[in-house]
Amino acid sequence: EDQVTQSPEALRLQEGESSSLNCSYTVSGLRGLFWYRQDPGKGPEFLFTLYSAGEEKEKERLKATLTKKESFLHITAPKPEDSATYLCAARGNTGKLIFGQGTTLQVKP
Amino acid sequence: DTEVTQTPKHLVMGMTNKKSLKCEQHMGHRAMYWYKQKAKKPPELMFVYSYEKLSINESVPSRFSPECPNSSLLNLHLHALQPEDSALYLCASSPGTANSPLHFGNGTRLTVT
């Protein structure tokens, strides 16, 4: 059965303190691994798509990487405005998008 | 600003009411989706339309009735809902290929009293 697990559930950082969020996936025939950011009361905002192991994508302070079993979202020198819930999702041969439970990030000034 | 527009932003309805949620996208996407999201949980798939035809219904109760009038519009008709149906209802669209991301609207916050 396809599965996506995110850790940690919650993460508190000081402004400028870099860290990583983990997304472990078990998906048959990965078609894409997606990262989203969700602010309270809003819909998920698309960040990145990764397709194959070794791929990396960057946007401002965020960098997403992919291995055959995991994806990481690295946050470098975070700012308070990076506080949000980060969702990872994977789609395999079934075509269904499987979401992880999310990591809620709080960055304190 | 999101390219998927949902109305209304908030909706309060009684258990005997009938109401509709609306979603619009102008990105030329061929697949449209309804998701339900409860607090502190990930989105849960309800329905998928592909080329204006219903392709997936995730065993959703019949009090939720989707409709896709054309490739840009998606509606969700609500009737005789229960308080536990209160949630954030999200619409999304995608080009329709397996490796393309979904683009979400900002949702309708539904409260059933």
mmCIF file of all heavy atoms in Angstrom, chain A residues 35-65:
data_model
loop_
_atom_site.group_PDB
_atom_site.id
_atom_site.type_symbol
_atom_site.label_atom_id
_atom_site.label_comp_id
_atom_site.label_asym_id
_atom_site.label_seq_id
_atom_site.Cartn_x
_atom_site.Cartn_y
_atom_site.Cartn_z
ATOM 1 N N TRP A 35 5.985 19.013 -2.839
ATOM 2 C CA TRP A 35 5.980 19.744 -1.584
ATOM 3 C C TRP A 35 5.038 20.937 -1.705
ATOM 4 O O TRP A 35 5.030 21.643 -2.725
ATOM 5 C CB TRP A 35 7.383 20.250 -1.236
ATOM 6 C CG TRP A 35 8.289 19.196 -0.679
ATOM 7 C CD1 TRP A 35 9.237 18.485 -1.343
ATOM 8 C CD2 TRP A 35 8.353 18.767 0.690
ATOM 9 N NE1 TRP A 35 9.878 17.631 -0.484
ATOM 10 C CE2 TRP A 35 9.362 17.780 0.768
ATOM 11 C CE3 TRP A 35 7.665 19.114 1.858
ATOM 12 C CZ2 TRP A 35 9.695 17.145 1.960
ATOM 13 C CZ3 TRP A 35 7.991 18.478 3.044
ATOM 14 C CH2 TRP A 35 8.998 17.509 3.087
ATOM 15 N N TYR A 36 4.269 21.124 -0.621
ATOM 16 C CA TYR A 36 3.340 22.247 -0.545
ATOM 17 C C TYR A 36 3.558 22.973 0.776
ATOM 18 O O TYR A 36 3.959 22.375 1.774
ATOM 19 C CB TYR A 36 1.879 21.767 -0.569
ATOM 20 C CG TYR A 36 1.417 21.223 -1.895
ATOM 21 C CD1 TYR A 36 1.606 19.880 -2.221
ATOM 22 C CD2 TYR A 36 0.769 22.041 -2.809
ATOM 23 C CE1 TYR A 36 1.165 19.378 -3.439
ATOM 24 C CE2 TYR A 36 0.316 21.545 -4.023
ATOM 25 C CZ TYR A 36 0.517 20.210 -4.325
ATOM 26 O OH TYR A 36 0.068 19.719 -5.532
ATOM 27 N N ARG A 37 3.223 24.246 0.790
ATOM 28 C CA ARG A 37 3.181 25.051 1.999
ATOM 29 C C ARG A 37 1.725 25.440 2.227
ATOM 30 O O ARG A 37 1.035 25.848 1.283
ATOM 31 C CB ARG A 37 4.028 26.316 1.798
ATOM 32 C CG ARG A 37 3.865 27.330 2.902
ATOM 33 C CD ARG A 37 4.395 28.686 2.526
ATOM 34 N NE ARG A 37 3.964 29.651 3.534
ATOM 35 C CZ ARG A 37 4.800 30.429 4.211
ATOM 36 N NH1 ARG A 37 6.098 30.383 3.975
ATOM 37 N NH2 ARG A 37 4.341 31.266 5.115
ATOM 38 N N GLN A 38 1.263 25.307 3.478
ATOM 39 C CA GLN A 38 -0.108 25.702 3.781
ATOM 40 C C GLN A 38 -0.136 26.627 4.981
ATOM 41 O O GLN A 38 0.325 26.269 6.063
ATOM 42 C CB GLN A 38 -1.009 24.491 4.030
ATOM 43 C CG GLN A 38 -2.481 24.869 4.170
ATOM 44 C CD GLN A 38 -3.413 23.675 4.213
ATOM 45 O OE1 GLN A 38 -3.021 22.569 4.570
ATOM 46 N NE2 GLN A 38 -4.677 23.891 3.846
ATOM 47 N N ASP A 39 -0.679 27.824 4.775
ATOM 48 C CA ASP A 39 -0.887 28.773 5.865
ATOM 49 C C ASP A 39 -2.278 28.538 6.451
ATOM 50 O O ASP A 39 -3.179 28.051 5.756
ATOM 51 C CB ASP A 39 -0.760 30.210 5.349
ATOM 52 C CG ASP A 39 0.662 30.522 4.930
ATOM 53 O OD1 ASP A 39 1.543 30.454 5.805
ATOM 54 O OD2 ASP A 39 0.905 30.802 3.743
ATOM 55 N N PRO A 40 -2.478 28.897 7.732
ATOM 56 C CA PRO A 40 -3.771 28.646 8.385
ATOM 57 C C PRO A 40 -4.940 29.248 7.605
ATOM 58 O O PRO A 40 -4.880 30.408 7.192
ATOM 59 C CB PRO A 40 -3.611 29.313 9.754
ATOM 60 C CG PRO A 40 -2.146 29.294 10.005
ATOM 61 C CD PRO A 40 -1.493 29.475 8.671
ATOM 62 N N GLY A 41 -5.977 28.466 7.373
ATOM 63 C CA GLY A 41 -7.175 28.949 6.689
ATOM 64 C C GLY A 41 -7.024 29.132 5.183
ATOM 65 O O GLY A 41 -7.921 29.656 4.524
ATOM 66 N N LYS A 42 -5.886 28.700 4.627
ATOM 67 C CA LYS A 42 -5.645 28.828 3.177
ATOM 68 C C LYS A 42 -5.464 27.457 2.567
ATOM 69 O O LYS A 42 -5.264 26.461 3.260
ATOM 70 C CB LYS A 42 -4.378 29.647 2.920
ATOM 71 C CG LYS A 42 -4.352 31.004 3.560
ATOM 72 C CD LYS A 42 -4.986 32.035 2.692
ATOM 73 C CE LYS A 42 -4.788 33.436 3.235
ATOM 74 N NZ LYS A 42 -5.481 34.433 2.422
ATOM 75 N N GLY A 43 -5.502 27.416 1.215
ATOM 76 C CA GLY A 43 -5.226 26.163 0.539
ATOM 77 C C GLY A 43 -3.729 25.920 0.424
ATOM 78 O O GLY A 43 -2.927 26.846 0.560
ATOM 79 N N PRO A 44 -3.331 24.674 0.179
ATOM 80 C CA PRO A 44 -1.908 24.380 -0.009
ATOM 81 C C PRO A 44 -1.350 25.124 -1.228
ATOM 82 O O PRO A 44 -1.979 25.148 -2.287
ATOM 83 C CB PRO A 44 -1.895 22.872 -0.230
ATOM 84 C CG PRO A 44 -3.147 22.365 0.391
ATOM 85 C CD PRO A 44 -4.154 23.451 0.173
ATOM 86 N N GLU A 45 -0.159 25.687 -1.038
ATOM 87 C CA GLU A 45 0.526 26.408 -2.115
ATOM 88 C C GLU A 45 1.645 25.526 -2.647
ATOM 89 O O GLU A 45 2.518 25.094 -1.889
ATOM 90 C CB GLU A 45 1.099 27.719 -1.573
ATOM 91 C CG GLU A 45 1.918 28.507 -2.573
ATOM 92 C CD GLU A 45 2.693 29.644 -1.899
ATOM 93 O OE1 GLU A 45 2.405 29.950 -0.729
ATOM 94 O OE2 GLU A 45 3.588 30.202 -2.551
ATOM 95 N N PHE A 46 1.636 25.258 -3.944
ATOM 96 C CA PHE A 46 2.627 24.381 -4.554
ATOM 97 C C PHE A 46 4.022 24.997 -4.460
ATOM 98 O O PHE A 46 4.228 26.174 -4.763
ATOM 99 C CB PHE A 46 2.255 24.120 -6.013
ATOM 100 C CG PHE A 46 3.333 23.427 -6.798
ATOM 101 C CD1 PHE A 46 3.687 22.126 -6.485
ATOM 102 C CD2 PHE A 46 3.993 24.079 -7.816
ATOM 103 C CE1 PHE A 46 4.688 21.487 -7.190
ATOM 104 C CE2 PHE A 46 4.983 23.451 -8.537
ATOM 105 C CZ PHE A 46 5.339 22.158 -8.221
ATOM 106 N N LEU A 47 5.004 24.160 -4.034
ATOM 107 C CA LEU A 47 6.391 24.609 -3.950
ATOM 108 C C LEU A 47 7.264 23.919 -4.999
ATOM 109 O O LEU A 47 7.899 24.573 -5.805
ATOM 110 C CB LEU A 47 6.956 24.312 -2.555
ATOM 111 C CG LEU A 47 6.365 25.082 -1.385
ATOM 112 C CD1 LEU A 47 6.924 24.544 -0.069
ATOM 113 C CD2 LEU A 47 6.648 26.570 -1.507
ATOM 114 N N PHE A 48 7.348 22.585 -4.925
ATOM 115 C CA PHE A 48 8.286 21.851 -5.773
ATOM 116 C C PHE A 48 7.690 20.525 -6.238
ATOM 117 O O PHE A 48 6.887 19.930 -5.531
ATOM 118 C CB PHE A 48 9.567 21.471 -4.996
ATOM 119 C CG PHE A 48 10.308 22.611 -4.378
ATOM 120 C CD1 PHE A 48 10.319 22.767 -2.998
ATOM 121 C CD2 PHE A 48 11.010 23.513 -5.159
ATOM 122 C CE1 PHE A 48 11.007 23.807 -2.411
ATOM 123 C CE2 PHE A 48 11.705 24.559 -4.579
ATOM 124 C CZ PHE A 48 11.702 24.705 -3.204
ATOM 125 N N THR A 49 8.176 20.068 -7.397
ATOM 126 C CA THR A 49 7.996 18.688 -7.839
ATOM 127 C C THR A 49 9.369 18.067 -8.045
ATOM 128 O O THR A 49 10.253 18.690 -8.662
ATOM 129 C CB THR A 49 7.244 18.582 -9.183
ATOM 130 O OG1 THR A 49 6.032 19.316 -9.111
ATOM 131 C CG2 THR A 49 6.944 17.133 -9.500
ATOM 132 N N LEU A 50 9.558 16.853 -7.535
ATOM 133 C CA LEU A 50 10.779 16.084 -7.759
ATOM 134 C C LEU A 50 10.381 14.784 -8.417
ATOM 135 O O LEU A 50 9.376 14.162 -8.036
ATOM 136 C CB LEU A 50 11.500 15.814 -6.429
ATOM 137 C CG LEU A 50 11.900 17.066 -5.649
ATOM 138 C CD1 LEU A 50 12.258 16.707 -4.215
ATOM 139 C CD2 LEU A 50 13.085 17.753 -6.319
ATOM 140 N N TYR A 51 11.170 14.341 -9.414
ATOM 141 C CA TYR A 51 10.764 13.166 -10.179
ATOM 142 C C TYR A 51 11.668 11.963 -9.990
ATOM 143 O O TYR A 51 11.212 10.826 -10.100
ATOM 144 C CB TYR A 51 10.722 13.508 -11.676
ATOM 145 C CG TYR A 51 9.681 14.544 -12.028
ATOM 146 C CD1 TYR A 51 10.060 15.842 -12.373
ATOM 147 C CD2 TYR A 51 8.333 14.229 -12.007
ATOM 148 C CE1 TYR A 51 9.106 16.798 -12.695
ATOM 149 C CE2 TYR A 51 7.373 15.182 -12.330
ATOM 150 C CZ TYR A 51 7.769 16.465 -12.677
ATOM 151 O OH TYR A 51 6.821 17.399 -12.993
ATOM 152 N N SER A 52 12.962 12.218 -9.764
ATOM 153 C CA SER A 52 13.867 11.070 -9.692
ATOM 154 C C SER A 52 14.930 11.301 -8.632
ATOM 155 O O SER A 52 15.275 12.454 -8.305
ATOM 156 C CB SER A 52 14.514 10.829 -11.061
ATOM 157 O OG SER A 52 15.186 11.975 -11.499
ATOM 158 N N ALA A 53 15.451 10.188 -8.090
ATOM 159 C CA ALA A 53 16.470 10.239 -7.040
ATOM 160 C C ALA A 53 17.663 11.063 -7.499
ATOM 161 O O ALA A 53 18.123 10.937 -8.633
ATOM 162 C CB ALA A 53 16.904 8.826 -6.668
ATOM 163 N N GLY A 54 18.134 11.917 -6.602
ATOM 164 C CA GLY A 54 19.263 12.777 -6.909
ATOM 165 C C GLY A 54 18.850 14.177 -7.345
ATOM 166 O O GLY A 54 19.672 15.089 -7.379
ATOM 167 N N GLU A 55 17.581 14.327 -7.633
ATOM 168 C CA GLU A 55 17.102 15.632 -8.087
ATOM 169 C C GLU A 55 17.032 16.615 -6.922
ATOM 170 O O GLU A 55 16.714 16.233 -5.798
ATOM 171 C CB GLU A 55 15.727 15.476 -8.730
ATOM 172 C CG GLU A 55 15.276 16.681 -9.530
ATOM 173 C CD GLU A 55 13.962 16.416 -10.263
ATOM 174 O OE1 GLU A 55 13.458 15.276 -10.198
ATOM 175 O OE2 GLU A 55 13.446 17.354 -10.877
ATOM 176 N N GLU A 56 17.314 17.893 -7.188
ATOM 177 C CA GLU A 56 17.234 18.949 -6.184
ATOM 178 C C GLU A 56 16.553 20.161 -6.815
ATOM 179 O O GLU A 56 16.761 20.433 -7.993
ATOM 180 C CB GLU A 56 18.625 19.366 -5.697
ATOM 181 C CG GLU A 56 19.408 18.271 -5.038
ATOM 182 C CD GLU A 56 20.751 18.751 -4.510
ATOM 183 O OE1 GLU A 56 21.128 19.907 -4.771
ATOM 184 O OE2 GLU A 56 21.426 17.961 -3.827
ATOM 185 N N LYS A 57 15.766 20.862 -6.004
ATOM 186 C CA LYS A 57 15.164 22.113 -6.483
ATOM 187 C C LYS A 57 15.238 23.136 -5.362
ATOM 188 O O LYS A 57 15.130 22.794 -4.186
ATOM 189 C CB LYS A 57 13.707 21.887 -6.896
ATOM 190 C CG LYS A 57 13.590 21.013 -8.112
ATOM 191 C CD LYS A 57 12.473 21.393 -9.003
ATOM 192 C CE LYS A 57 12.514 20.562 -10.271
ATOM 193 N NZ LYS A 57 11.179 20.221 -10.758
ATOM 194 N N GLU A 58 15.415 24.409 -5.750
ATOM 195 C CA GLU A 58 15.575 25.473 -4.763
ATOM 196 C C GLU A 58 14.654 26.645 -5.053
ATOM 197 O O GLU A 58 14.354 26.941 -6.222
ATOM 198 C CB GLU A 58 17.001 26.024 -4.803
ATOM 199 C CG GLU A 58 18.002 25.237 -4.029
ATOM 200 C CD GLU A 58 19.353 25.919 -3.961
ATOM 201 O OE1 GLU A 58 19.500 26.881 -3.191
ATOM 202 O OE2 GLU A 58 20.249 25.483 -4.697
ATOM 203 N N LYS A 59 14.224 27.269 -3.958
ATOM 204 C CA LYS A 59 13.425 28.495 -4.091
ATOM 205 C C LYS A 59 13.659 29.317 -2.832
ATOM 206 O O LYS A 59 13.267 28.906 -1.735
ATOM 207 C CB LYS A 59 11.956 28.148 -4.225
ATOM 208 C CG LYS A 59 11.027 29.328 -4.371
ATOM 209 C CD LYS A 59 9.591 28.838 -4.481
ATOM 210 C CE LYS A 59 8.621 29.986 -4.529
ATOM 211 N NZ LYS A 59 7.229 29.527 -4.667
ATOM 212 N N GLU A 60 14.339 30.432 -2.982
ATOM 213 C CA GLU A 60 14.667 31.299 -1.851
ATOM 214 C C GLU A 60 15.389 30.488 -0.765
ATOM 215 O O GLU A 60 16.443 29.926 -1.013
ATOM 216 C CB GLU A 60 13.409 31.992 -1.330
ATOM 217 C CG GLU A 60 12.799 32.938 -2.363
ATOM 218 C CD GLU A 60 11.541 33.630 -1.875
ATOM 219 O OE1 GLU A 60 11.120 33.412 -0.725
ATOM 220 O OE2 GLU A 60 10.972 34.406 -2.656
ATOM 221 N N ARG A 61 14.824 30.408 0.431
ATOM 222 C CA ARG A 61 15.504 29.728 1.536
ATOM 223 C C ARG A 61 15.204 28.227 1.580
ATOM 224 O O ARG A 61 15.668 27.524 2.476
ATOM 225 C CB ARG A 61 15.077 30.368 2.870
ATOM 226 C CG ARG A 61 15.550 31.822 3.003
ATOM 227 C CD ARG A 61 15.036 32.457 4.286
ATOM 228 N NE ARG A 61 13.577 32.631 4.284
ATOM 229 C CZ ARG A 61 12.950 33.587 3.639
ATOM 230 N NH1 ARG A 61 13.631 34.476 2.942
ATOM 231 N NH2 ARG A 61 11.624 33.685 3.684
ATOM 232 N N LEU A 62 14.435 27.729 0.631
ATOM 233 C CA LEU A 62 14.015 26.324 0.624
ATOM 234 C C LEU A 62 14.750 25.530 -0.448
ATOM 235 O O LEU A 62 14.926 26.001 -1.575
ATOM 236 C CB LEU A 62 12.510 26.221 0.369
ATOM 237 C CG LEU A 62 11.588 26.909 1.356
ATOM 238 C CD1 LEU A 62 10.141 26.771 0.910
ATOM 239 C CD2 LEU A 62 11.766 26.347 2.758
ATOM 240 N N LYS A 63 15.136 24.310 -0.067
ATOM 241 C CA LYS A 63 15.750 23.398 -1.030
ATOM 242 C C LYS A 63 15.185 22.009 -0.798
ATOM 243 O O LYS A 63 15.223 21.511 0.328
ATOM 244 C CB LYS A 63 17.269 23.371 -0.844
ATOM 245 C CG LYS A 63 18.003 22.440 -1.795
ATOM 246 C CD LYS A 63 19.497 22.550 -1.526
ATOM 247 C CE LYS A 63 20.290 21.567 -2.318
ATOM 248 N NZ LYS A 63 21.749 21.675 -2.017
ATOM 249 N N ALA A 64 14.653 21.405 -1.850
ATOM 250 C CA ALA A 64 14.080 20.062 -1.747
ATOM 251 C C ALA A 64 14.985 19.071 -2.449
ATOM 252 O O ALA A 64 15.500 19.344 -3.542
ATOM 253 C CB ALA A 64 12.684 20.034 -2.363
ATOM 254 N N THR A 65 15.186 17.919 -1.795
ATOM 255 C CA THR A 65 16.012 16.865 -2.376
ATOM 256 C C THR A 65 15.239 15.553 -2.340
ATOM 257 O O THR A 65 14.285 15.386 -1.574
ATOM 258 C CB THR A 65 17.336 16.716 -1.596
ATOM 259 O OG1 THR A 65 17.035 16.353 -0.247
ATOM 260 C CG2 THR A 65 18.139 18.009 -1.618
#
